[in-house]
Amino acid sequence: DYLAFHQARVAVLSMRIGADVGYDRPRLVQLGMAGCLIDVGLWQLPEAVLKRLDALSPDEQTQYRSHPRTSAEWIRRWSPPSEVIGEAVLHHHEREQGQGFPQGLAGPAINPDAKILGLVDTYTGLTVPPSARPRLRPHEAIREIVRSKHESFSSPLVKALLSETGAN
């Protein structure tokens, strides 16, 4: 199943990047848990929608863009060991310059764990896309991310991703 595979990849690679930037073991565990849950809100969407994310109708786009909030609400109901997990999931589509969703947060207003999750979510979506879009090789995905790094992702996190993927 695409979503399960994607969430597992996000969890593992996020934990590796978290270790690279100095997270301790308890924080890495929370980051991994958040990675496993980032897209739980997408499980309610029809599989056909997930296979054509590049061509969604306006209603489907609205549904898709609500998944961080839906995921965070479900996580809060499950009472995770830390509220940080729900916040990281909620913010994982926010971007450095405020161009993300669902809240349009920017820079320091974005949960730091969400910044890692968002970067890895983007990378894994480029290298193993849910749709019929061709997958990019790791170095091609990094190139795409680097092109937008000042807008979307911080340089230290992009460098950590580059180090972990060996796509240099």
Side-chain angles (χ1 to χ4, degrees):
D1 183 277
Y2 174 79
L3 282 177
F5 177 66
H6 175 74
Q7 290 173 200
R9 287 185 75 211
V10 169
V12 171
L13 188 52
S14 292
M15 288 174 59
R16 292 183 58 145
I17 289 172
D20 286 350
V21 299
Y23 282 20
D24 62 13
R25 183 174 170 75
R27 188 152 178 205
L28 288 172
V29 169
Q30 288 183 1
L31 181 62
M33 289 173 65
C36 287
L37 298 169
I38 62 166
D39 289 334
V40 73
L42 289 177
W43 288 86
Q44 68 186 12
L45 293 181
E47 191 171 337
V49 169
L50 297 175
K51 291 185 178 187
R52 54 184 183 78
L53 288 178
D54 297 331
L56 297 178
S57 72
D59 286 343
E60 291 168 333
Q61 185 71 17
T62 299
Q63 283 183 310
Y64 174 79
R65 291 175 71 91
S66 72
H67 86 269
R69 194 175 306 279
T70 302
S71 297
E73 287 169 7
W74 286 2
I75 291 166
R76 284 188 188 109
R77 278 188 242 135
W78 295 333
S79 301
S82 167
E83 288 186 26
V84 173
I85 293 171
E87 184 176 284
V89 168
L90 176 63
H91 293 179
H92 81 275
H93 278 289
E94 302 290 354
R95 298 295 180 257
E96 287 296 322
Q97 302 301 317
Q99 71 274 37
F101 63 90
Q103 297 170 299
L105 300 176
I110 303 169
N111 176 287
D113 294 356
K115 292 179 182 189
I116 294 173
L117 294 170
L119 174 61
V120 175
D121 183 42
T122 298
Y123 173 80
T124 58
L126 291 169
T127 55
V128 183
S131 62
R133 179 175 29 127
R135 66 176 59 192
L136 298 180
R137 295 184 304 222
H139 72 278
E140 293 169 329
I142 295 288
R143 187 177 334 130
E144 287 296 314
I145 289 168
V146 167
R147 285 183 184 151
S148 69
K149 75 176 179 182
H150 300 297
E151 295 175 7
S152 300
F153 306 106
S154 71
S155 293
L157 292 182
V158 172
K159 287 177 184 174
L161 175 63
L162 184 59
S163 172
E164 283 302 324
T165 61
N168 39 2

